[in-house]
Amino acid sequence: MKNKILVTGGAGYIGSHTCIALHQAGYDIVVYDNLSNSSREAINRVSTLIGQPIEFIEGDIRDTELLRQVFTKHEFFGVIHFAGLKAVGESVAKPLLYYNNNVSGTITLLEAMAEANVKNLVFSSSATVYGDPEVLPIDETSPRSCTNPYGQSKLTVEHILEELAATNDGWNLIPLRYFNPVGAHPSGQIGEDPNDIPNNLMPYISQVAVGKLEKLSIFGNDYPTVDGTGVRDFIHVTDLAQGHVAALNYLQKQVGQDKYSSIGFLPINLGTGKGTSVLELVTAFSKVSGQDILYQFDARRAGDIASCYASADKAKELLGWEAKLSINEMCQDTWRWQSMNPNGYNIA
Ligand code: NAD
Ligand code: WQD
């Protein structure tokens, strides 16, 4: 069985953790990343953690010729496609950039895969494709809609994958819809390293805890939730990484069957199935880190929803995967990474 995997965006937050899990599961990896939102240092640290060098190609998923060379040089079983831009606010200001990078980039990648006859793909989708859900927990049949270009770019890619699988034989396409990834590798060597002031809650909290930011603004305390603050399904990034291994193992098993028929388009949620409020997360982080987290209540953030958490049943049934780590472990590992690396990968 072929076990070499192309990991686009493998230098990024989720990609770097997944590279470790893939290596531990016996997969060979080739990382392809343009480093637009990551650093070489992440690759160095992953290499140290797994005890061997990583094959790394600095390249853009929109570069047809380079992709062609990579697919000619290596015989891949499949691709895990993390590469993409992910800042919701920036996507509103720069929609063309987001559609170009996330949608055109994915089309270019799919064309290169088709040319090389590599038809197994795991794609980073997002719970954002569910918009404001009518029913909780959210299962994979829930209606999809998005209100910002980032979300729309994920939804558009899902539609493209769906149509490709419906009309072309042999494709096995698994969009994994992540809920809210947080946490870091337990070594404290790799983690989330936002370029600027963080947009997301967990890195904001951890930067307040470490003294880089003064105070957290909690966006809204009048939601119909347990304490009025937003509720999300936070999932530890190492659990998420294992979800990718489980998806690949599933593809290997299906493709290896005697009477093999392609899987087509198979979306799967990766979440814990549990909701935690913003205030509950702040309290847990404060306890685990022993730091006061100064906060104030502010107005709701435009585009936010009250509550969002997954039904994680499909991942358990099909992939035999479920999240194992608790909110406390998510906070502990985030805190270890943040306190050991107050400036992220910027070690200069
Ligand atoms: P990240 O920014 O840390 O990682 C993305 C990586 O892709 C970066 O290393 C970046 O340099 C690379 N990249 C971007 N555009 C590229 C291009 N054109 N060519 C080559 N490389 C490119 O983000 P992440 O949090 O690790 O997210 C990974 C994927 O998961 C993204 O597609 C993101 O949209 C999706 N996702 C993330 C979250 C989240 O909250 N972190 C939630 C749901 C989905
Ligand atoms: C969580 C909660 C905020 C920051 C986003 C994307 C989504 C996905 C994951 C990629 C909300 C509150 C936040 C702060 C706060 N990414 N909050 N103060 O909005 O659920 O999802 O990241 O696919 O597409 O939209 O995550 O961490 O930004 O917010 O009070 O400074 O924390 O209002 O209730 P979100 P988040």
Side-chain angles (χ1 to χ4, degrees):
M1 185 72 76
K2 284 192 279 186
N3 72 344
K4 196 181 266 196
I5 309 297
L6 180 68
V7 186
T8 76
Y13 171 45
I14 304 169
S16 56
H17 290 81
T18 304
C19 285
I20 294 176
L22 289 171
H23 171 79
Q24 284 166 348
Y27 286 100
D28 277 346
I29 51 176
V30 175
V31 172
Y32 186 100
D33 199 304
N34 68 359
L35 301 179
S36 58
N37 195 39
S38 51
S39 89
R40 230 169 241 281
E41 180 60 15
I43 295 290
N44 296 341
R45 293 193 185 186
V46 171
S47 299
T48 305
L49 286 167
I50 67 172
Q52 66 181 63
I54 287 201
E55 176 144 10
F56 173 65
I57 299 156
E58 185 169 347
D60 197 293
I61 50 165
R62 292 162 295 185
D63 186 340
T64 301
E65 197 39 52
L66 184 58
L67 282 175
R68 195 172 276 149
Q69 284 170 27
V70 173
F71 278 99
T72 307
K73 182 172 172 208
H74 299 275
E75 227 188 294
F76 292 113
F77 168 74
V79 178
I80 303 190
H81 178 32
F82 293 106
L85 299 174
K86 64 167 180 177
V88 174
E90 186 187 49
S91 82
V92 175
K94 299 175 181 171
L96 296 181
L97 174 68
Y98 272 66
Y99 288 119
N100 185 292
N101 201 77
N102 295 2
V103 180
S104 300
T106 303
I107 293 173
T108 306
L109 174 67
L110 289 166
E111 285 168 344
M113 289 175 68
E115 202 176 291
N117 200 29
V118 176
K119 295 189 165 178
N120 302 316
L121 176 80
V122 176
F123 168 65
S124 298
S125 189
S126 167
T128 195
V129 300
Y130 295 120
D132 195 351
E134 275 161 30
V135 179
L136 292 167
I138 307 170
D139 74 24
E140 289 80 354
T141 62
S142 303
R144 288 171 291 167
S145 71
C146 288
T147 52
N148 60 71
Y150 166 72
Q152 201 61 50
S153 76
K154 291 291 173 191
L155 190 49
T156 303
V157 169
E158 283 208 4
H159 287 315
I160 291 169
L161 298 181
E162 222 166 339
E163 284 157 16
L164 181 63
T167 53
N168 286 250
D169 285 340
W171 288 95
N172 304 302
L173 307 168
I174 305 189
L176 294 176
R177 296 177 181 152
Y178 315 152
F179 279 68
N180 287 60
V182 296
H185 191 265
S187 65
Q189 290 301 309
I190 58 169
E192 187 169 11
D193 182 20
N195 266 336
D196 235 325
I197 295 178
N199 300 307
N200 295 113
L201 179 62
M202 184 65 115
Y204 206 108
I205 292 176
S206 68
Q207 292 198 13
V208 172
V210 86
K212 282 184 79 174
L213 294 170
E214 194 205 330
K215 198 194 278 179
L216 170 73
S217 285
I218 295 183
F219 302 137
N221 62 346
D222 56 352
Y223 285 109
T225 61
V226 59
D227 54 22
T229 66
V231 165
R232 295 292 182 274
D233 186 341
F234 299 100
I235 174 168
H236 197 297
V237 67
T238 60
D239 272 336
L240 202 64
Q242 291 301 336
H244 292 76
V245 173
L248 272 185
N249 290 346
Y250 178 80
L251 286 175
Q252 291 267 11
K253 203 166 73 197
Q254 298 294 318
V255 173
Q257 278 177 6
D258 285 348
K259 283 188 188 150
Y260 159 69
S261 63
S262 47
I263 290 165
F265 176 81
L266 183 66
I268 301 180
N269 288 343
L270 292 185
T272 65
K274 293 185 207 89
T276 301
S277 78
V278 172
L279 261 184
E280 285 167 343
L281 190 70
V282 171
T283 306
F285 198 98
S286 179
K287 215 179 250 175
V288 155
S289 64
Q291 307 294 313
D292 286 337
I293 316 280
L294 215 58
Y295 66 81
Q296 67 187 30
F297 292 118
D298 269 330
R300 292 181 179 191
R301 185 172 66 179
D304 271 357
I305 55 177
S307 296
C308 172
Y309 52 91
S311 158
D313 293 348
K314 192 173 176 185
K316 191 170 181 190
E317 275 157 32
L318 283 184
L319 310 182
W321 171 91
E322 62 184 323
K324 295 197 168 65
L325 299 173
S326 65
I327 286 288
N328 276 350
E329 289 162 305
M330 299 178 210
C331 294
Q332 245 152 28
D333 290 334
T334 304
W335 178 236
R336 188 178 301 108
W337 154 253
Q338 181 70 73
S339 45
M340 283 169 67
N341 308 270
N343 298 315
Y345 292 116
N346 192 356
I347 46 179

